[in-house]
Amino acid sequence: MSEKKISSKFIYFFGAFGGILFGYDIGVMTGALPFLQSDWNLSGGGVTGWITSSLMLGAVFGGAIAGQLSDRLGRRKMVLYSALLFMVGALLAGISPHDGVAYLIFTRVLLGIAVGAASALVPAYMSEMAPAEKRGSLSGINQLMIVSGMLISYVVDFLLKGLPEHIAWRLMLALAAVPALILFLGVLRLPESPRFLIKTGRVEEAHQVLTWIRRPEEIDGEINAINETARIEQKAEKSTSWGSLLEGRYRYLVIAGVMVAFFQQFMGANAIFYYIPLIVEKASGQAASDALLWPIIQGVILVLGALLYMAIAEKFNRRGLLMMGGTVMGLSFILPAVINSFMDTNPMMIVVFLSIFVAFYAFTWAPLTWVLVGEVFPLAIRGRASGLASSMNWVGSFVVALIFPIMTASMSQEAVFAIFGVICLVAVAFVMFRVPETRGHSLEEIEKFGAEKEAK
Protein backbone atom coordinates (compact mmCIF):
# COMPACT_ATOMS: atom_id res chain seq x y z
CA MET A 1 0.00 0.00 0.00
CA SER A 2 1.24 3.48 -0.83
CA GLU A 3 2.28 5.60 2.14
CA LYS A 4 1.02 8.69 0.35
CA LYS A 5 -1.84 10.30 2.27
CA ILE A 6 -5.26 10.06 0.61
CA SER A 7 -7.79 12.79 1.36
CA SER A 8 -10.75 11.65 3.47
CA LYS A 9 -13.02 13.63 1.11
CA PHE A 10 -11.66 11.63 -1.84
CA ILE A 11 -12.29 8.40 0.06
CA TYR A 12 -15.87 9.33 0.97
CA PHE A 13 -16.66 10.65 -2.52
CA PHE A 14 -15.54 7.55 -4.39
CA GLY A 15 -16.72 5.32 -1.56
CA ALA A 16 -20.23 6.62 -2.28
CA PHE A 17 -19.81 6.91 -6.07
CA GLY A 18 -21.22 3.42 -6.52
CA GLY A 19 -24.56 5.05 -5.76
CA ILE A 20 -24.25 7.04 -9.03
CA LEU A 21 -23.79 3.73 -10.87
CA PHE A 22 -26.78 2.25 -9.09
CA GLY A 23 -28.97 5.28 -9.78
CA TYR A 24 -27.93 5.70 -13.43
CA ASP A 25 -28.98 2.20 -14.42
CA ILE A 26 -32.23 2.40 -12.47
CA GLY A 27 -33.08 5.59 -14.35
CA VAL A 28 -31.69 5.06 -17.85
CA MET A 29 -34.34 2.56 -18.98
CA THR A 30 -37.01 5.21 -18.32
CA GLY A 31 -35.93 7.14 -21.41
CA ALA A 32 -34.64 4.21 -23.44
CA LEU A 33 -37.86 2.19 -23.20
CA PRO A 34 -40.09 4.28 -25.52
CA PHE A 35 -37.45 4.12 -28.30
CA LEU A 36 -36.85 0.41 -27.71
CA GLN A 37 -40.59 -0.33 -27.87
CA SER A 38 -40.92 1.54 -31.15
CA ASP A 39 -37.73 0.08 -32.67
CA TRP A 40 -38.65 -3.51 -31.84
CA ASN A 41 -42.41 -2.99 -32.16
CA LEU A 42 -43.04 -4.35 -28.67
CA SER A 43 -46.74 -4.63 -27.93
CA GLY A 44 -48.34 -5.68 -24.64
CA GLY A 45 -46.79 -5.28 -21.23
CA GLY A 46 -45.20 -8.70 -20.73
CA VAL A 47 -41.99 -8.30 -22.77
CA THR A 48 -41.56 -4.67 -21.65
CA GLY A 49 -41.94 -5.76 -18.02
CA TRP A 50 -39.37 -8.53 -18.37
CA ILE A 51 -36.79 -6.30 -20.07
CA THR A 52 -37.18 -3.66 -17.36
CA SER A 53 -37.40 -5.97 -14.35
CA SER A 54 -34.54 -8.29 -15.37
CA LEU A 55 -32.14 -5.75 -13.82
CA MET A 56 -33.77 -6.26 -10.42
CA LEU A 57 -33.74 -10.04 -10.87
CA GLY A 58 -29.96 -9.88 -11.26
CA ALA A 59 -29.70 -7.50 -8.31
CA VAL A 60 -31.37 -10.04 -5.98
CA PHE A 61 -28.43 -12.38 -6.60
CA GLY A 62 -25.77 -9.66 -6.88
CA GLY A 63 -26.42 -8.33 -3.40
CA ALA A 64 -26.34 -11.79 -1.83
CA ILE A 65 -23.18 -12.88 -3.67
CA ALA A 66 -21.30 -9.62 -3.03
CA GLY A 67 -21.94 -9.73 0.70
CA GLN A 68 -20.43 -13.21 0.98
CA LEU A 69 -17.45 -12.56 -1.33
CA SER A 70 -16.57 -9.20 0.22
CA ASP A 71 -15.89 -10.97 3.51
CA ARG A 72 -13.30 -13.10 1.69
CA LEU A 73 -11.87 -10.76 -0.94
CA GLY A 74 -12.43 -7.34 0.62
CA ARG A 75 -14.87 -4.49 0.02
CA ARG A 76 -12.56 -2.55 -2.33
CA LYS A 77 -11.79 -5.48 -4.61
CA MET A 78 -15.47 -6.40 -4.92
CA VAL A 79 -16.39 -2.80 -5.84
CA LEU A 80 -13.73 -2.96 -8.59
CA TYR A 81 -15.16 -6.26 -9.90
CA SER A 82 -18.67 -4.78 -9.81
CA ALA A 83 -17.55 -1.73 -11.82
CA LEU A 84 -15.91 -4.00 -14.44
CA LEU A 85 -19.01 -6.19 -14.72
CA PHE A 86 -21.14 -3.06 -15.03
CA MET A 87 -18.96 -1.73 -17.87
CA VAL A 88 -19.17 -5.04 -19.74
CA GLY A 89 -22.95 -5.30 -19.23
CA ALA A 90 -23.56 -1.70 -20.37
CA LEU A 91 -21.49 -2.11 -23.55
CA LEU A 92 -23.12 -5.47 -24.35
CA ALA A 93 -26.57 -3.88 -23.93
CA GLY A 94 -25.51 -1.10 -26.27
CA ILE A 95 -24.75 -3.55 -29.10
CA SER A 96 -27.96 -5.57 -28.72
CA PRO A 97 -28.99 -7.23 -32.02
CA HIS A 98 -32.34 -6.17 -33.50
CA ASP A 99 -35.27 -7.94 -31.79
CA GLY A 100 -32.78 -9.61 -29.44
CA VAL A 101 -35.14 -9.71 -26.47
CA ALA A 102 -33.47 -12.70 -24.78
CA TYR A 103 -30.02 -11.18 -25.35
CA LEU A 104 -31.06 -7.83 -23.82
CA ILE A 105 -32.68 -9.54 -20.83
CA PHE A 106 -29.43 -11.48 -20.27
CA THR A 107 -27.29 -8.31 -20.37
CA ARG A 108 -29.74 -6.59 -18.01
CA VAL A 109 -29.39 -9.49 -15.57
CA LEU A 110 -25.58 -9.04 -15.73
CA LEU A 111 -26.02 -5.33 -15.03
CA GLY A 112 -28.37 -6.22 -12.20
CA ILE A 113 -25.74 -8.42 -10.55
CA ALA A 114 -23.36 -5.43 -10.64
CA VAL A 115 -26.04 -3.01 -9.38
CA GLY A 116 -27.08 -5.36 -6.57
CA ALA A 117 -23.44 -5.79 -5.56
CA ALA A 118 -22.89 -2.02 -5.53
CA SER A 119 -26.05 -1.44 -3.49
CA ALA A 120 -24.77 -3.89 -0.86
CA LEU A 121 -21.08 -2.92 -0.90
CA VAL A 122 -21.25 0.88 -0.93
CA PRO A 123 -23.17 1.30 2.37
CA ALA A 124 -20.99 -1.36 4.02
CA TYR A 125 -17.76 0.31 2.88
CA MET A 126 -18.99 3.78 3.84
CA SER A 127 -20.13 2.68 7.31
CA GLU A 128 -16.74 1.05 7.95
CA MET A 129 -14.76 4.09 6.76
CA ALA A 130 -16.84 6.83 8.41
CA PRO A 131 -16.45 7.91 12.05
CA ALA A 132 -19.50 7.11 14.18
CA GLU A 133 -20.70 10.73 14.37
CA LYS A 134 -20.79 11.00 10.55
CA ARG A 135 -22.54 7.75 9.67
CA GLY A 136 -26.02 9.27 9.57
CA SER A 137 -25.06 12.13 7.27
CA LEU A 138 -22.92 9.85 5.08
CA SER A 139 -25.88 7.51 4.61
CA GLY A 140 -27.61 10.61 3.27
CA ILE A 141 -24.72 11.14 0.83
CA ASN A 142 -25.24 7.60 -0.50
CA GLN A 143 -28.93 8.37 -1.11
CA LEU A 144 -27.97 11.68 -2.76
CA MET A 145 -25.56 9.83 -5.07
CA ILE A 146 -28.27 7.33 -6.08
CA VAL A 147 -30.84 10.00 -6.99
CA SER A 148 -28.13 12.11 -8.68
CA GLY A 149 -27.31 9.07 -10.84
CA MET A 150 -30.99 8.80 -11.75
CA LEU A 151 -31.14 12.51 -12.64
CA ILE A 152 -27.99 12.23 -14.79
CA SER A 153 -29.52 9.31 -16.69
CA TYR A 154 -32.73 11.28 -17.28
CA VAL A 155 -30.75 14.25 -18.63
CA VAL A 156 -28.69 11.96 -20.91
CA ASP A 157 -31.91 10.36 -22.21
CA PHE A 158 -33.37 13.80 -22.92
CA LEU A 159 -30.25 14.97 -24.78
CA LEU A 160 -30.18 11.86 -26.98
CA LYS A 161 -33.88 11.78 -27.85
CA GLY A 162 -33.31 13.47 -31.24
CA LEU A 163 -31.22 10.59 -32.55
CA PRO A 164 -32.70 7.82 -34.72
CA GLU A 165 -34.58 5.47 -32.39
CA HIS A 166 -32.38 2.40 -33.07
CA ILE A 167 -29.29 4.43 -32.08
CA ALA A 168 -30.84 6.48 -29.26
CA TRP A 169 -31.79 3.68 -26.88
CA ARG A 170 -28.59 1.71 -27.51
CA LEU A 171 -26.42 4.75 -26.79
CA MET A 172 -28.44 5.55 -23.66
CA LEU A 173 -27.73 2.07 -22.29
CA ALA A 174 -24.08 1.95 -23.43
CA LEU A 175 -23.22 5.29 -21.78
CA ALA A 176 -23.79 3.63 -18.40
CA ALA A 177 -20.23 2.36 -18.91
CA VAL A 178 -18.91 5.92 -18.32
CA PRO A 179 -19.79 6.21 -14.59
CA ALA A 180 -18.61 2.60 -14.17
CA LEU A 181 -15.20 3.56 -15.63
CA ILE A 182 -14.99 6.63 -13.36
CA LEU A 183 -15.83 4.44 -10.35
CA PHE A 184 -13.20 1.85 -11.34
CA LEU A 185 -10.45 4.49 -11.73
CA GLY A 186 -11.42 6.20 -8.47
CA VAL A 187 -11.55 2.99 -6.43
CA LEU A 188 -8.08 1.98 -7.70
CA ARG A 189 -6.76 4.70 -5.38
CA LEU A 190 -9.03 3.87 -2.44
CA PRO A 191 -7.71 1.94 0.56
CA GLU A 192 -9.31 -1.23 1.84
CA SER A 193 -11.70 -0.93 4.78
CA PRO A 194 -9.83 -1.00 8.15
CA ARG A 195 -12.40 -3.45 9.47
CA PHE A 196 -11.64 -5.97 6.70
CA LEU A 197 -7.89 -5.47 7.13
CA ILE A 198 -8.08 -6.17 10.87
CA LYS A 199 -10.32 -9.21 10.37
CA THR A 200 -7.70 -10.64 7.98
CA GLY A 201 -4.77 -9.92 10.31
CA ARG A 202 -3.37 -6.89 8.46
CA VAL A 203 -3.33 -4.59 11.49
CA GLU A 204 -0.45 -2.36 10.31
CA GLU A 205 -2.26 -1.60 7.05
CA ALA A 206 -5.45 -0.84 8.99
CA HIS A 207 -3.49 1.54 11.22
CA GLN A 208 -2.12 3.32 8.13
CA VAL A 209 -5.63 3.76 6.65
CA LEU A 210 -6.99 5.09 9.93
CA THR A 211 -4.24 7.76 10.04
CA TRP A 212 -5.83 9.22 6.87
CA ILE A 213 -9.40 9.40 8.18
CA ARG A 214 -9.18 9.68 12.00
CA ARG A 215 -7.52 11.91 14.57
CA PRO A 216 -4.36 10.30 16.07
CA GLU A 217 -5.93 9.88 19.52
CA GLU A 218 -8.86 7.89 18.05
CA ILE A 219 -6.89 5.21 16.21
CA ASP A 220 -5.95 2.74 18.96
CA GLY A 221 -9.45 2.88 20.48
CA GLU A 222 -11.05 2.17 17.10
CA ILE A 223 -8.72 -0.76 16.40
CA ASN A 224 -9.66 -2.26 19.79
CA ALA A 225 -13.37 -1.66 19.10
CA ILE A 226 -13.12 -3.34 15.67
CA ASN A 227 -11.37 -6.34 17.23
CA GLU A 228 -14.11 -6.63 19.87
CA THR A 229 -16.91 -6.35 17.30
CA ALA A 230 -15.23 -8.96 15.08
CA ARG A 231 -14.98 -11.32 18.07
CA ILE A 232 -18.69 -10.89 18.85
CA GLU A 233 -19.69 -11.41 15.21
CA GLN A 234 -17.53 -14.52 14.88
CA LYS A 235 -19.21 -15.94 17.97
CA ALA A 236 -22.63 -15.00 16.56
CA GLU A 237 -21.91 -16.74 13.24
CA LYS A 238 -21.19 -19.97 15.11
CA SER A 239 -24.20 -19.76 17.42
CA THR A 240 -26.85 -18.50 14.98
CA SER A 241 -28.41 -19.73 11.74
CA TRP A 242 -31.11 -18.59 9.34
CA GLY A 243 -33.59 -20.21 11.70
CA SER A 244 -32.43 -17.84 14.44
CA LEU A 245 -34.22 -15.00 12.65
CA LEU A 246 -37.54 -16.43 13.79
CA GLU A 247 -36.49 -17.05 17.39
CA GLY A 248 -38.69 -15.29 19.95
CA ARG A 249 -36.14 -12.72 21.11
CA TYR A 250 -35.35 -11.61 17.53
CA ARG A 251 -38.65 -12.16 15.69
CA TYR A 252 -40.28 -8.78 16.42
CA LEU A 253 -37.33 -6.74 15.14
CA VAL A 254 -36.65 -9.01 12.16
CA ILE A 255 -40.26 -8.73 10.98
CA ALA A 256 -40.15 -4.93 11.50
CA GLY A 257 -36.99 -4.39 9.43
CA VAL A 258 -37.73 -6.87 6.65
CA MET A 259 -41.31 -5.65 6.17
CA VAL A 260 -40.27 -1.98 6.00
CA ALA A 261 -37.83 -2.94 3.21
CA PHE A 262 -40.61 -4.97 1.54
CA PHE A 263 -43.16 -2.14 1.71
CA GLN A 264 -40.71 0.44 0.36
CA GLN A 265 -40.86 -1.26 -3.06
CA PHE A 266 -44.48 -2.44 -3.08
CA MET A 267 -45.65 1.15 -2.52
CA GLY A 268 -45.10 1.61 -6.27
CA ALA A 269 -42.27 4.17 -6.44
CA ASN A 270 -40.38 2.28 -9.12
CA ALA A 271 -43.49 2.15 -11.31
CA ILE A 272 -43.05 5.92 -11.61
CA PHE A 273 -39.26 5.90 -11.99
CA TYR A 274 -39.23 3.24 -14.74
CA TYR A 275 -42.38 4.12 -16.65
CA ILE A 276 -43.10 7.87 -16.25
CA PRO A 277 -42.84 8.64 -20.03
CA LEU A 278 -45.32 5.81 -20.75
CA ILE A 279 -47.58 7.06 -17.93
CA VAL A 280 -47.55 10.56 -19.47
CA GLU A 281 -48.19 9.07 -22.93
CA LYS A 282 -51.26 7.21 -21.67
CA ALA A 283 -52.53 10.24 -19.76
CA SER A 284 -51.98 12.90 -22.42
CA GLY A 285 -51.67 11.15 -25.77
CA GLN A 286 -48.22 12.74 -26.16
CA ALA A 287 -45.66 10.26 -27.55
CA ALA A 288 -43.58 8.74 -24.73
CA SER A 289 -40.36 9.62 -26.57
CA ASP A 290 -41.48 13.28 -26.43
CA ALA A 291 -42.23 13.14 -22.69
CA LEU A 292 -38.64 12.84 -21.47
CA LEU A 293 -38.74 16.16 -19.62
CA TRP A 294 -40.96 14.54 -16.97
CA PRO A 295 -38.28 12.13 -15.72
CA ILE A 296 -35.94 15.12 -15.29
CA ILE A 297 -38.60 16.85 -13.16
CA GLN A 298 -38.92 13.67 -11.05
CA GLY A 299 -35.12 13.48 -10.78
CA VAL A 300 -34.84 17.08 -9.56
CA ILE A 301 -37.55 16.39 -6.95
CA LEU A 302 -35.62 13.29 -5.78
CA VAL A 303 -32.34 15.23 -5.43
CA LEU A 304 -34.05 18.05 -3.50
CA GLY A 305 -35.73 15.45 -1.29
CA ALA A 306 -32.39 13.77 -0.54
CA LEU A 307 -30.91 17.17 0.43
CA LEU A 308 -33.94 17.88 2.64
CA TYR A 309 -33.51 14.51 4.36
CA MET A 310 -29.85 15.27 5.11
CA ALA A 311 -30.97 18.53 6.76
CA ILE A 312 -33.68 16.96 8.96
CA ALA A 313 -32.36 13.40 9.48
CA GLU A 314 -31.63 13.75 13.19
CA LYS A 315 -34.37 16.27 14.02
CA PHE A 316 -37.46 14.05 13.63
CA ASN A 317 -38.32 10.54 14.76
CA ARG A 318 -38.01 7.80 12.14
CA ARG A 319 -41.54 6.47 12.73
CA GLY A 320 -43.15 9.90 12.48
CA LEU A 321 -41.51 10.67 9.15
CA LEU A 322 -42.40 7.23 7.74
CA MET A 323 -46.06 7.52 8.79
CA MET A 324 -46.41 11.10 7.55
CA GLY A 325 -44.70 10.31 4.24
CA GLY A 326 -46.63 7.08 3.70
CA THR A 327 -49.98 8.77 4.38
CA VAL A 328 -49.39 11.57 1.87
CA MET A 329 -48.01 9.07 -0.66
CA GLY A 330 -51.06 6.82 -0.28
CA LEU A 331 -53.51 9.71 -0.66
CA SER A 332 -51.66 11.06 -3.72
CA PHE A 333 -52.26 7.65 -5.38
CA ILE A 334 -55.87 7.22 -4.25
CA LEU A 335 -57.24 10.75 -4.82
CA PRO A 336 -57.03 10.76 -8.66
CA ALA A 337 -59.20 7.62 -8.80
CA VAL A 338 -61.70 9.12 -6.31
CA ILE A 339 -61.88 12.50 -8.10
CA ASN A 340 -62.26 10.81 -11.51
CA SER A 341 -65.20 8.78 -10.22
CA PHE A 342 -67.13 12.03 -9.55
CA MET A 343 -66.10 14.29 -12.44
CA ASP A 344 -64.17 14.51 -15.66
CA THR A 345 -60.70 15.94 -15.03
CA ASN A 346 -57.58 16.79 -16.99
CA PRO A 347 -55.83 13.44 -17.62
CA MET A 348 -52.52 15.03 -16.59
CA MET A 349 -53.86 15.45 -13.04
CA ILE A 350 -52.48 12.01 -12.21
CA VAL A 351 -48.95 13.13 -13.15
CA VAL A 352 -49.21 16.08 -10.73
CA PHE A 353 -50.25 13.72 -7.93
CA LEU A 354 -47.39 11.35 -8.85
CA SER A 355 -44.98 14.28 -8.41
CA ILE A 356 -46.38 14.83 -4.89
CA PHE A 357 -45.77 11.13 -4.19
CA VAL A 358 -42.16 11.39 -5.36
CA ALA A 359 -41.54 14.51 -3.27
CA PHE A 360 -42.62 12.82 -0.01
CA TYR A 361 -41.02 9.48 -0.89
CA ALA A 362 -37.69 11.26 -1.52
CA PHE A 363 -37.19 12.46 2.06
CA THR A 364 -39.04 9.73 3.99
CA TRP A 365 -39.28 6.15 2.76
CA ALA A 366 -36.41 6.32 0.24
CA PRO A 367 -33.61 7.10 2.75
CA LEU A 368 -35.23 6.10 6.05
CA THR A 369 -35.82 2.48 5.07
CA TRP A 370 -32.08 1.84 5.02
CA VAL A 371 -31.37 3.94 8.10
CA LEU A 372 -33.93 1.89 10.03
CA VAL A 373 -32.70 -1.44 8.61
CA GLY A 374 -29.18 -0.48 9.73
CA GLU A 375 -30.36 0.23 13.27
CA VAL A 376 -33.13 -2.25 14.07
CA PHE A 377 -31.46 -5.68 13.73
CA PRO A 378 -29.65 -7.19 16.77
CA LEU A 379 -25.89 -7.62 16.28
CA ALA A 380 -25.97 -11.43 16.51
CA ILE A 381 -28.20 -11.75 13.41
CA ARG A 382 -27.49 -8.45 11.65
CA GLY A 383 -25.68 -9.93 8.65
CA ARG A 384 -28.36 -12.45 7.79
CA ALA A 385 -31.28 -10.14 8.61
CA SER A 386 -29.85 -7.26 6.54
CA GLY A 387 -29.28 -9.64 3.62
CA LEU A 388 -32.88 -10.86 3.87
CA ALA A 389 -34.20 -7.28 3.98
CA SER A 390 -32.13 -6.33 0.92
CA SER A 391 -33.31 -9.40 -1.00
CA MET A 392 -36.97 -8.70 -0.15
CA ASN A 393 -36.49 -5.12 -1.34
CA TRP A 394 -35.09 -6.23 -4.71
CA VAL A 395 -37.81 -8.88 -5.07
CA GLY A 396 -40.41 -6.15 -4.55
CA SER A 397 -38.69 -3.91 -7.11
CA PHE A 398 -38.61 -6.82 -9.60
CA VAL A 399 -42.30 -7.65 -9.13
CA VAL A 400 -43.47 -4.02 -9.46
CA ALA A 401 -41.36 -3.44 -12.60
CA LEU A 402 -42.67 -6.68 -14.12
CA ILE A 403 -46.39 -6.34 -13.38
CA PHE A 404 -46.95 -2.58 -13.79
CA PRO A 405 -47.12 -2.59 -17.63
CA ILE A 406 -49.30 -5.72 -17.49
CA MET A 407 -51.68 -4.06 -15.00
CA THR A 408 -51.95 -0.81 -16.99
CA ALA A 409 -52.73 -2.83 -20.13
CA SER A 410 -55.82 -4.28 -18.42
CA MET A 411 -57.10 -1.41 -16.22
CA SER A 412 -56.91 2.37 -15.92
CA GLN A 413 -53.79 4.01 -14.53
CA GLU A 414 -55.88 5.60 -11.77
CA ALA A 415 -57.05 2.16 -10.64
CA VAL A 416 -53.50 0.73 -10.69
CA PHE A 417 -52.12 3.57 -8.59
CA ALA A 418 -55.09 3.38 -6.21
CA ILE A 419 -54.02 -0.22 -5.47
CA PHE A 420 -50.52 1.00 -4.66
CA GLY A 421 -52.10 3.76 -2.55
CA VAL A 422 -53.86 1.18 -0.40
CA ILE A 423 -50.52 -0.63 0.07
CA CYS A 424 -49.01 2.71 1.22
CA LEU A 425 -51.69 3.06 3.91
CA VAL A 426 -51.22 -0.57 5.01
CA ALA A 427 -47.50 0.24 5.35
CA VAL A 428 -48.35 3.23 7.56
CA ALA A 429 -50.48 1.00 9.81
CA PHE A 430 -47.63 -1.52 10.00
CA VAL A 431 -45.15 1.18 11.06
CA MET A 432 -47.64 2.48 13.64
CA PHE A 433 -48.19 -0.89 15.32
CA ARG A 434 -45.11 -3.01 14.54
CA VAL A 435 -42.02 -0.80 14.13
CA PRO A 436 -40.06 0.57 17.12
CA GLU A 437 -38.54 4.05 17.21
CA THR A 438 -34.76 3.79 16.73
CA ARG A 439 -33.68 7.44 16.77
CA GLY A 440 -31.82 8.31 19.96
CA HIS A 441 -31.72 4.70 21.20
CA SER A 442 -28.66 2.49 21.47
CA LEU A 443 -28.62 -0.81 19.59
CA GLU A 444 -28.80 -2.60 22.96
CA GLU A 445 -31.93 -0.65 23.97
CA ILE A 446 -33.61 -1.48 20.65
CA GLU A 447 -32.76 -5.17 21.03
CA LYS A 448 -34.13 -5.24 24.59
CA PHE A 449 -37.34 -3.50 23.44
CA GLY A 450 -37.84 -6.09 20.65
CA ALA A 451 -37.36 -9.01 23.04
CA GLU A 452 -39.87 -7.51 25.50
CA LYS A 453 -42.48 -6.91 22.78
CA GLU A 454 -42.18 -10.49 21.54
CA ALA A 455 -42.49 -11.84 25.10
CA LYS A 456 -45.83 -10.08 25.67
Side-chain angles (χ1 to χ4, degrees), residues 312-330:
I312 67 171
E314 298 305 327
K315 296 177 181 175
F316 296 93
N317 285 345
R318 320 284 194 231
R319 292 175 74 252
L321 282 175
L322 288 173
M323 287 188 286
M324 181 270 293
T327 301
V328 176
M329 288 153 56

Side-chain angles (χ1 to χ4, degrees), residues 25 82-96 103-104 106-112 114 173-174 176-177 180:
D25 217 62
S82 299
L84 281 173
L85 181 60
F86 198 99
M87 273 189 278
V88 171
L91 294 173
L92 287 176
I95 58 170
S96 296
Y103 172 92
L104 184 55
F106 172 74
T107 63
R108 295 274 294 164
V109 170
L110 279 184
L111 280 165
L173 298 185

Side-chain angles (χ1 to χ4, degrees), residues 169-219:
W169 71 264
R170 287 182 170 89
L171 193 53
M172 290 171 185
L173 298 185
L175 283 174
V178 175
L181 177 61
I182 294 171
L183 176 66
F184 182 83
L185 295 175
V187 173
L188 281 176
R189 290 199 61 216
L190 287 191
E192 182 53 85
S193 142
R195 192 170 185 279
F196 175 78
L197 292 171
I198 289 172
K199 282 183 72 174
T200 52
R202 295 148 66 186
V203 180
E204 286 187 15
E205 287 183 55
H207 191 279
Q208 174 67 61
V209 173
L210 287 170
T211 64
W212 298 333
I213 55 178
R214 299 290 188 273
R215 292 189 292 270
E217 65 272 17
E218 297 173 337
I219 295 173

